[in-house]
Amino acid sequence: MDETQNGRTSLAKGAKDIAKEAKRQTAKNVSKAVDRASDEYSTHRSYNRFQNEDEEDDNYNTYGQQDGHYADNAGNDEDEASSDATEGHDDEDEIYEGEYQGVPAHSDGKHRDGQVALGQPVSDSLKSRKELENERQADEEELAQQYELIMQECGHGRFQWQLFFVLGLALMSDGVEVFVVGFVLPSAETDMCVPNSGAGWLGSIVYLGMMFGAFFWGGLSDKLGRKQCLLISMSVNGFFAFLSSFVQGYSMFLVCRMVSGFGIGGAVPIVFSYFAEVLAREKRGEHLSWLCMFWMIGGIYASAMAWAIIPHYGWSFSMGSAYQFHSWRVFVVVCALPCVSAVVALTFMPESPRFFLEVGKHDEAWMVLKHIHDTNMRARGEPERVFTVNRIKIPKQLDELVEMQNESANPVLKVLFKIKTELRGIWLTFMKCFNYPVRDNTIKLAVVWFTLSFGYYGLSVWFPDVIKHLQADEYASRVKLHNSEHIEDFTFNFTLENQIHRNGAFFLGIFSMKFKAVTFIDSSFINCYFEDVSSVGSFFKNCTFVDSFFYNTDIDDAKLTNSRVINSSFHHNKTGCQMTFDDDYSAYWVYFVNFLGTLAVLPGNIVSALLMDKIGRLSMLGGSMVLSGISCFFLWFGTSESMMIFMLCLYNGLSISAWNSLDVVTAELYPTDRRGTGFGFCNAMCKLAAVLGNLIFGSLVGITKAIPILMASTVLVGGGLVGLRLPDTRANVLM
């Protein structure tokens, strides 16, 4: 009896298995027919060719229809009685989460828990790590080819131009940050009474912040996404840049500018990675070069604002003697506006679809790509054009072993653990940049970034300082000398400038005036009255003050060098360092020189954008660096201000093509999973070179011209030759 019952059960089960197999074959044939029709409708552009049809033949767990899974699961035998409306769905199946939004399902070769298919390949758990990485590499190569076709279908139009201007604001903020350092440095150090030992720290510490920020934010963008990291980094920059304009102490000002630099450090690596991932191959080189123009626009904006704001010290206000808000602080606030604008505009842009695909978020990537396609088609006047992509390749996702924290752990410990995990992930991704086959490219790129930045930022510091040195020499040549004066009972109510008084004697004199670059040597002041005196760059050396009275002046011990004060008193001395740059020719001139130097970049930007895809990235990179290195030799003949300004403009115009080419090559050489990290590392090397260039070139001003000229020429030509050894990326798709 039991044997008969068992036989009937086996016979019924076998019949059910035959029926299910027939259903599977029918559904597969229908799916293939639908795919062929869809391919013909999409003007013969087939994205399904990236799907392995042999895998469909061997794999029972495939999408027979857009949303249906078919599995040989004995636990679902009762499905044979289901109606046609539910055919192909098991009772345990959940509705595909993107179904309501029209997002097509993707075939990733994965199976639901509990499903078993005939001919199923070896489980991932039984494969070695190297085998899984090889499979992921193959998937990425297929995705790169498919993604290029998808971007061609999406076209280049309104969406790319919208993102172009939004990311341009972020890149403009980086340019502003670089120029702000040089423009506020003299004013900030004077306003905050910074001693000579602390002078120069501002420029170095900002570049150090940018160096660490480039590495951190670039690496984090490969983990959390381009948009999210760019939003956070720009917000950090904007907040601390704004805060730095209000702090009074130099130490706090340094901290705020360092953190501000840390935030803006993520702009360059993320902006170029982000924009490159929404451009088709034939548009990438040209439009990434156009994007570089915003860095120049940031420099022009900073120069113009400094020229218009800083010298106008009548714009300042004070709250007692403890709080001073001079015009250079207004300039700092104005320079934070591009960053704030970028943060606001960026909130309305989507995440990079290429990043979504890299981390396995198929639905999000498909919807962003459809948004790009529909936006561009509507702008073209073709809103009826249908986005024909129905399946996108997803690279195999490799699980990482992460130590789990106790659910009841302290929240602070959880946050620290999260930070530790992200930092470890950034470091592991960074180490992958030194794995084959990108290791050699990483080393070469780091050398090129370092040499180009060392020459550029070193000369950028050296040029203005040399011009100042020439101005100082010319100013000193016009100094007026007064010897053995004898003045009695005279009121000084005017300005003395650029004078030296030796062995003078002043009796019953009244001084209510401004001294500008005036030096008194071996002079005597007897029964003199000093009121409301400002002494900018003025000193009293080996002087004697007898029975004199000082009221509301800025004359203090720092300006009385080896001087004697006998029976004299000081009342209500001005606190802080007095800033009076009214009619200061040199201040206006330095801002104007920087403005001209930045404006000279415009022709080079246009040429590089138009020729980037025609003559190639490497030819432009190497040629530009070699030519800019050769142009440095002509600095030997710069004996006047006009000649130095001309050489500055020539150098900037020649070197900008190298910067543009380097940005494009770096974005195209790295795979998507480490593009931000690799770019961030290269940009960190750039900022490290900027720090060294500032220190080395700045120490040589007024000492010798030979060493800076030879050093800059050597590193630029050497870096250009290394750049020519990089692989040509003009025909590459984004891996």
Side-chain angles (χ1 to χ4, degrees):
M1 183 68 177
D2 292 339
E3 293 179 357
T4 302
Q5 182 66 26
N6 291 337
R8 291 178 179 176
T9 301
S10 299
L11 182 61
K13 186 174 182 180
K16 291 181 180 180
D17 290 342
I18 293 173
K20 291 177 67 177
E21 176 65 16
K23 282 186 177 181
R24 188 186 68 81
Q25 294 293 338
T26 301
K28 184 175 69 174
N29 293 335
V30 171
S31 178
K32 288 183 177 181
V34 171
D35 287 343
R36 284 194 296 271
S38 176
D39 293 343
E40 293 176 0
Y41 177 76
S42 61
T43 64
H44 305 291
R45 180 183 280 119
S46 174
Y47 299 101
N48 294 323
R49 62 191 177 92
F50 297 96
Q51 302 296 325
N52 191 344
E53 292 187 0
D54 294 334
E55 182 181 351
E56 294 183 6
D57 294 336
D58 297 333
N59 186 358
Y60 283 3
N61 184 28
T62 188
Y63 288 90
Q65 298 176 353
Q66 287 272 331
D67 302 318
H69 291 75
Y70 295 88
D72 187 12
N73 190 340
N76 297 325
D77 289 343
E78 296 180 1
D79 286 349
E80 302 302 322
S82 63
S83 65
D84 293 340
T86 60
E87 183 176 359
H89 291 273
D90 296 336
D91 290 340
E92 297 176 355
D93 279 356
E94 295 180 358
I95 296 176
Y96 172 59
E97 64 179 358
E99 183 175 357
Y100 290 115
Q101 297 174 323
V103 181
H106 65 280
S107 177
D108 57 1
K110 294 182 180 180
H111 298 274
R112 292 186 169 209
D113 295 339
Q115 292 182 332
V116 180
L118 298 178
Q120 171 67 19
V122 179
S123 172
D124 288 349
S125 61
L126 302 179
K127 296 180 182 178
S128 67
R129 181 76 179 184
K130 187 169 184 60
E131 290 176 329
L132 295 175
E133 290 177 351
N134 290 337
E135 290 182 11
R136 177 179 174 85
Q137 179 66 24
D139 291 344
E140 288 177 343
E141 292 175 357
E142 293 183 11
L143 173 59
Q145 299 293 334
Q146 183 187 11
Y147 191 79
E148 179 62 30
L149 293 177
I150 294 174
M151 293 313 303
Q152 291 177 7
E153 177 171 337
C154 291
H156 187 91
R158 175 179 293 174
F159 176 84
Q160 280 83 2
W161 285 113
Q162 290 174 346
L163 186 62
F164 173 80
F165 287 107
V166 172
L167 297 181
L169 287 172
L171 195 60
M172 178 180 172
S173 302
D174 182 84
V176 169
E177 188 75 20
V178 170
F179 282 87
V180 164
V181 174
F183 291 152
V184 305
L185 187 59
S187 301
E189 291 177 344
T190 303
D191 187 19
M192 298 178 180
C193 306
V194 179
N196 291 332
S197 59
W201 267 105
L202 178 58
S204 299
I205 204 166
V206 170
Y207 283 125
L208 286 174
M210 297 174 76
M211 179 182 72
F212 289 107
F215 182 80
F216 176 78
W217 296 112
L220 196 64
S221 69
D222 287 332
K223 299 295 181 183
L224 302 183
R226 318 300 191 208
K227 174 188 172 180
Q228 184 175 355
C229 287
L230 187 58
L231 267 175
I232 299 174
S233 66
M234 296 298 292
S235 299
V236 170
N237 169 251
F239 176 78
F240 282 94
F242 185 78
L243 182 63
S244 68
S245 66
F246 294 95
V247 298
Q248 293 292 297
Y250 190 61
S251 298
M252 282 302 301
F253 184 76
L254 286 177
V255 172
C256 289
R257 296 312 301 185
M258 182 184 67
V259 179
S260 174
F262 176 79
I264 200 61
V268 172
I270 299 178
V271 161
F272 284 101
S273 299
Y274 193 172
F275 197 48
E277 291 169 357
V278 296
L279 294 173
R281 179 174 52 194
E282 66 271 11
K283 298 287 187 180
R284 192 177 304 128
E286 177 185 353
H287 288 271
L288 285 176
S289 298
W290 288 124
L291 184 64
C292 295
M293 292 186 65
F294 279 94
W295 198 92
M296 175 204 69
I297 295 174
I300 293 176
Y301 175 82
S303 301
M305 292 299 102
W307 192 10
I309 296 175
I310 294 181
H312 296 285
Y313 286 88
W315 295 7
S316 63
F317 68 89
S318 61
M319 298 174 62
S321 61
Y323 189 86
Q324 304 288 331
F325 196 91
H326 292 293
S327 58
W328 68 266
R329 297 180 182 273
V330 178
F331 167 71
V332 172
V333 173
V334 171
C335 285
L337 296 181
C339 178
V340 176
S341 302
V343 171
V344 174
L346 193 61
T347 57
F348 298 97
M349 303 306 297
E351 180 59 84
S352 165
R354 188 66 177 82
F355 169 78
F356 275 147
L357 291 173
E358 194 67 26
V359 296
K361 296 184 178 182
H362 170 274
D363 300 349
E364 293 87 342
W366 187 90
M367 294 189 69
V368 173
L369 290 170
K370 185 177 185 301
H371 170 69
I372 296 174
H373 174 273
D374 293 346
T375 300
N376 291 339
M377 292 306 110
R378 284 194 301 268
R380 291 182 184 179
E382 302 176 5
E384 71 281 356
R385 182 77 65 89
V386 178
F387 185 52
T388 60
V389 178
N390 50 23
R391 280 183 254 180
I392 308 176
K393 185 70 177 180
I394 298 295
K396 181 180 290 293
Q397 301 301 306
L398 303 180
D399 297 331
E400 297 182 0
L401 296 177
V402 179
E403 180 184 357
M404 300 302 294
Q405 289 289 94
N406 190 344
E407 291 294 332
S408 61
N410 190 301
V412 176
L413 296 179
K414 288 186 176 181
V415 172
L416 294 177
F417 175 77
K418 178 66 174 177
I419 295 174
K420 178 183 176 182
T421 302
E422 294 298 340
L423 292 176
R424 180 176 180 273
I426 293 173
W427 178 254
L428 293 177
T429 305
F430 169 66
M431 296 306 297
K432 288 171 62 178
C433 293
F434 291 91
N435 293 341
Y436 179 84
V438 299
R439 177 185 57 196
D440 293 342
N441 295 337
T442 298
I443 296 174
K444 292 175 184 176
L445 282 173
V447 170
V448 178
W449 274 94
F450 185 90
T451 54
L452 180 58
S453 177
F454 184 82
Y456 178 82
Y457 286 103
L459 290 177
S460 296
V461 171
W462 190 68
F463 270 125
D465 284 346
V466 167
I467 292 176
K468 290 180 182 178
H469 188 71
L470 292 174
Q471 288 180 342
D473 290 342
E474 194 272 337
Y475 188 74
S477 67
R478 294 186 286 109
V479 66
K480 295 179 181 180
L481 300 177
H482 300 271
N483 293 311
S484 302
E485 297 173 292
H486 185 90
I487 300 176
E488 185 174 350
D489 195 16
F490 184 81
T491 300
F492 296 86
N493 56 2
F494 46 85
T495 299
L496 291 182
E497 179 179 0
N498 196 20
Q499 298 181 6
I500 296 178
H501 297 260
R502 291 180 180 272
N503 300 315
F506 302 88
F507 299 90
L508 300 173
I510 299 176
F511 296 85
S512 180
M513 58 184 303
K514 177 168 66 177
F515 296 111
K516 184 176 181 182
V518 177
T519 303
F520 293 90
I521 303 175
D522 298 325
S523 298
S524 300
F525 298 85
I526 301 174
N527 289 320
C528 292
Y529 182 81
F530 296 83
E531 182 179 5
D532 297 329
V533 173
S534 297
S535 55
V536 178
S538 300
F539 300 93
F540 300 84
K541 298 180 179 180
N542 300 322
C543 295
T544 302
F545 296 86
V546 180
D547 296 327
S548 297
F549 185 83
F550 297 83
Y551 182 83
N552 193 32
T553 70
D554 61 355
I555 300 174
D556 54 17
D557 293 338
K559 297 180 179 180
L560 301 176
T561 306
N562 296 325
S563 297
R564 296 184 302 163
V565 180
I566 302 173
N567 197 26
S568 300
S569 59
F570 294 81
H571 298 272
H572 299 287
N573 259 27
K574 296 179 180 179
T575 59
C577 297
Q578 304 305 311
M579 303 179 62
T580 75
F581 281 72
D582 299 331
D583 304 321
D584 192 342
Y585 171 77
S586 61
Y588 281 101
W589 188 243
V590 169
Y591 303 143
F592 180 67
V593 168
N594 279 277
F595 178 80
L596 289 179
T598 309
L599 195 61
V601 170
L602 180 60
N605 256 315
I606 296 175
V607 170
S608 63
L610 296 178
L611 300 181
M612 185 68 69
D613 292 318
K614 293 182 174 60
I615 68 175
R617 288 92 159 107
L618 301 185
S619 299
M620 187 167 293
L621 172 61
S624 176
M625 291 187 68
V626 171
L627 288 176
S628 60
I630 294 175
S631 70
C632 290
F633 283 107
F634 292 97
L635 294 174
W636 225 298
F637 307 100
T639 56
S640 64
E641 293 182 34
S642 57
M643 178 62 73
M644 295 300 295
I645 293 171
F646 173 77
M647 295 308 306
L648 171 65
C649 295
L650 177 63
Y651 172 77
N652 286 349
L654 290 174
S655 63
I656 189 60
S657 296
W659 285 109
N660 294 357
S661 305
L662 192 56
D663 290 330
V664 175
V665 170
T666 306
E668 292 179 334
L669 272 181
Y670 284 105
T672 304
D673 64 340
R674 69 199 86 164
R675 180 170 296 118
T677 303
F679 210 130
F681 167 69
C682 292
N683 199 250
M685 296 299 296
C686 167
K687 297 305 184 289
L688 175 62
V691 174
L692 296 178
N694 282 338
L695 296 176
I696 295 175
F697 283 76
S699 63
L700 297 174
V701 175
I703 299 176
T704 177
K705 292 174 62 175
I707 296 178
I709 291 173
L710 292 176
M711 190 181 301
S713 299
T714 302
V715 298
L716 287 170
V717 173
L721 295 178
V722 173
L724 291 173
R725 303 298 301 272
L726 289 166
D728 190 3
T729 60
R730 181 166 32 172
N732 288 5
V733 294
L734 283 183
M735 288 295 296

